[in-house]
Amino acid sequence: MITLALTGDSILQRRLLSTSDPVIKPLFDLIRGCDAAFTNLEVLPNDYVGDPAFDSGGSHFGAPAWVLDDLIEAGFGMFATATNHTLDYSIKGLEYALDQLDKRGLCHAGAGRHLEEARRAAYLTTPNATIGMVACGSTYTKGQEAARQTHAMQGRPGLNPLWPDSTYEVTADQMTVVQEMATELGLEKFRQLRIGTGFAFEAPEGIFPFNGMNFRLGDKTRHVRHPNAKDLAAIIRWVEEAKLASDIAVVSIHAHEHATEKDEPADFIIEFAHAVIDAGADVVVGHGPHLLRGLELYKGKPIFYSLGNFIGQNEMVQILPGESYDRFRVGDELTPTKLYKQRTQDDQKGFPSDLRYWQTVVPICRFEGDDLAEVTIYPVSLGLGEKRHRRGRPRLASGQEADSILKNYAVLSDRYHTSLSIQQDIATVLI
C-alpha cells in the first residue's frame, strides 16, 4: 500500500510551526503519516536574491529560503516549481532558488536551467515506493518559459511550458468587423510588412490574426483552446519515462485559465489531463486559480483540477520592488502590509473578500500497487477572520464548516460524475 497526500498552492512567508502549533498540527500529522506528500511551491525561496522582474506573476513572491525547511518539517518531499512566479526575480533569482532546492536534495520539477531540465521528471524514493513527478505551467508571460539548448548555445532558465493554442471563433458579421478594425487601425498593413521583411509568417488557412489573437469563422462565438502539440508531446515524453522509472507517476499543472466560471477548468486543461493519463500518469494534480475545482476519475485515475490555496500568506511578503508599488498605484512610503491592505481596500475586495480562497481540501490517495484503491478527502480551513499575520495557516475543518466545504467539493466534482460519500468531517470517493 502507498499513501500520497496532495495539496495546492503553498504561499509561505512566516514560520509554520507545524509540529508545535496545536491549531495546525493535527493536519500536518496526517500529512507526515503518508508515504509521500506533494505541494505546489508558489513562492520563490530565493532570499530576495535576483533582479525583480517588471512583469511579475501578480505580486513578487520572493521568500526566505528557510520556507523549504519548514515545508520539509511539515512532511513534504515533492515540490512543483512551474508557476507564474517562477521568474519574479529573473534568471538570477530562479537559479538561486534551484540551488536551494538542490542542496537540500529535494524532489522538485517544473523549472530548470534550460528546457530539458525543466521538462525532466523528478523522483522521490521511500521505503514503500518510488514516485515520479512531472510539473508544468500554462499561465506565464512569454519569455518566462525555459528555452532549449543547441549544440552551439546554452538554453535559458525558466519553467516547463504548456502553452494553450488559442482561437476565437466568430460569426461572419463579427469577422467583418474584426477585419475592418484591423484595416482601419493599420494593424493588417503592419502585419503584412512584417511578413514581407521576414519577421513574421503567413497565418494558417482560415485564420485571421488580429493584435495577437487568432480569429476564424464559426457557427457561434466561442473561445477554443487546445494544448500546444509540441509542448504536449514533450511533456508526455517525460510522463512515459516517469511511469517506467517509478511506481506512481504524478503530473502537476499550474493553470489559472478557466471556462465560463473560475471554478471550471479551461477546455485545454481537461484535454491535457486526459492525455497524460493515457500516457501513463496515475495522478494529475492542478493548482493556480487559488480556489477549488472538482475531481474527475478518468480511466480509474484521479484528476484534481485545482486544490486551491493550501498556505495563503500572500499578504505577508516582507520586501517588494518598485514595480509592485507602481502596479498597485501606491506610494513608496507604504510598508508591504499597508500596500496589501490598500490593495484589498481593507479586505473588501480580492482574496480576503471571498471565502472560496480560504477553504480547500487535502486528498490522501491510497494505492495498491499502481491501482487507485481509495481517496480520502479532508476539509481544510485557512482561518479567514483571523488577523492578517495569523490567517492563511491551514487546519482541519470541523462541524458545519467541514460539512460546507465537503458539500461544495461534491458539487464541483459531480460535474465530472464523481461521487463523494461524506461522513464525520471527511469524504471518500466512490471508485
Side-chain angles (χ1 to χ4, degrees):
M1 181 180 74
I2 305 165
T3 53
L4 172 64
L6 302 169
T7 67
D9 296 323
S10 283
I11 308 170
L12 181 60
Q13 296 288 341
R14 296 289 180 89
R15 291 291 182 180
L16 190 56
L17 307 178
S18 67
T19 62
S20 58
D21 186 333
V23 174
I24 68 173
K25 184 176 182 296
L27 171 60
F28 287 100
D29 285 345
L30 275 174
I31 292 170
R32 284 186 283 261
C34 294
D35 292 304
F38 163 94
T39 197
N40 178 60
L41 190 61
E42 184 79 347
V43 296
L44 197 67
N46 69 325
D47 289 324
Y48 306 101
V49 170
D51 306 304
F54 172 75
D55 194 344
S56 74
S59 289
H60 287 78
F61 274 174
W66 54 250
V67 301
L68 295 173
D69 302 316
D70 276 30
L71 290 169
I72 294 167
E73 183 180 66
F76 293 103
M78 303 173 67
F79 299 88
T81 56
T83 79
N84 49 307
H85 297 284
T86 299
L87 282 174
D88 275 3
Y89 281 81
S90 304
I91 288 173
K92 188 189 298 183
L94 173 58
E95 289 179 327
Y96 183 97
L98 293 173
D99 288 344
Q100 295 300 314
L101 288 155
D102 287 340
K103 81 175 188 178
R104 291 168 172 80
L106 296 176
C107 170
H108 64 94
R113 295 165 184 84
H114 51 78
L115 183 57
E116 185 73 356
E117 184 176 300
R119 299 272 200 211
R120 192 177 296 150
Y123 300 92
L124 178 71
T125 300
T126 76
N128 281 345
T130 294
I131 301 173
M133 175 176 61
V134 175
C136 65
S138 63
T139 306
Y140 59 91
T141 301
K142 275 295 189 179
Q144 293 180 336
E145 70 273 40
R148 64 186 180 89
Q149 301 184 95
T150 70
H151 69 280
M153 178 62 71
Q154 69 273 17
R156 183 183 65 247
L159 61 83
N160 178 12
L162 176 72
W163 186 253
D165 287 335
S166 176
T167 305
Y168 295 89
E169 292 188 355
V170 295
T171 65
D173 288 344
Q174 291 169 331
M175 181 65 84
T176 298
V177 173
V178 170
Q179 291 173 338
E180 287 176 349
M181 290 173 61
T183 299
E184 294 177 14
L185 291 170
L187 297 176
E188 179 59 16
K189 183 178 181 179
F190 181 68
R191 186 176 75 87
Q192 292 299 332
L193 177 64
R194 286 177 56 80
I195 292 171
T197 53
F199 289 101
F201 299 91
E202 292 287 357
E205 185 177 355
I207 296 293
F208 183 81
F210 174 72
N211 201 31
M213 298 178 288
N214 290 324
F215 289 85
R216 71 181 176 204
L217 288 174
D219 56 0
K220 62 180 180 179
T221 306
R222 62 176 184 159
H223 187 192
V224 179
R225 287 167 286 188
H226 296 286
N228 176 269
K230 189 174 181 179
D231 287 343
L232 180 60
I235 291 167
I236 283 176
R237 173 173 176 258
W238 280 104
V239 172
E240 292 172 342
E241 172 73 4
K243 184 57 181 174
L244 284 171
S246 63
D247 299 292
I248 302 295
V250 175
V251 174
S252 162
I253 175 170
H254 193 74
H256 291 229
E257 295 82 6
H258 58 84
T260 55
E261 300 292 338
K262 194 171 182 180
D263 59 16
E264 298 176 354
D267 43 11
F268 80 90
I269 299 172
I270 298 173
E271 185 179 343
F272 168 78
H274 290 182
V276 294
I277 286 178
D278 289 340
D282 296 292
V283 180
V284 177
V285 54
H287 32 81
H290 300 292
L291 47 69
L292 282 172
R293 290 173 177 168
L295 162 63
E296 179 182 12
L297 291 176
Y298 174 71
K299 296 184 176 180
K301 308 293 185 180
I303 303 170
F304 300 93
Y305 282 111
S306 173
L307 290 178
N309 285 332
F310 178 65
I311 300 172
Q313 296 179 338
N314 50 306
E315 300 165 284
M316 293 291 103
V317 180
Q318 297 176 33
I319 307 172
L320 291 169
E323 281 85 1
S324 288
Y325 285 82
D326 296 339
R327 177 174 185 173
F328 301 124
R329 301 181 183 182
V330 299
D332 288 0
E333 73 278 1
L334 291 189
T335 53
T337 304
K338 288 181 179 178
L339 178 149
Y340 285 111
K341 188 173 184 290
Q342 181 164 319
R343 173 186 171 183
T344 64
Q345 293 183 0
D346 202 11
D347 293 353
Q348 296 306 301
K349 68 178 185 179
F351 290 171
S353 68
D354 191 335
L355 184 59
R356 293 180 300 172
Y357 297 116
W358 303 86
Q359 294 181 334
T360 187
V361 297
V362 172
I364 295 180
C365 302
R366 182 170 63 84
F367 293 88
E368 300 288 352
D370 59 359
D371 293 326
L372 181 68
E374 183 180 60
V375 180
T376 306
I377 307 288
Y378 291 90
V380 171
S381 169
L382 273 63
L384 182 61
E386 295 182 357
K387 292 183 178 180
R388 283 181 175 82
H389 62 279
R390 297 289 292 170
R391 68 191 183 195
R393 300 170 305 137
R395 76 292 307 267
L396 288 170
S398 61
Q400 185 176 352
E401 184 178 27
D403 189 60
S404 175
I405 294 170
L406 293 174
K407 285 181 177 177
N408 174 58
Y409 195 58
V411 170
L412 294 173
S413 301
D414 186 60
R415 296 171 181 173
Y416 311 102
H417 310 290
T418 303
S419 297
L420 273 61
S421 174
I422 301 172
Q423 293 181 343
Q424 296 180 340
D425 295 345
I426 63 170
T428 54
V429 179
L430 303 180
I431 299 173

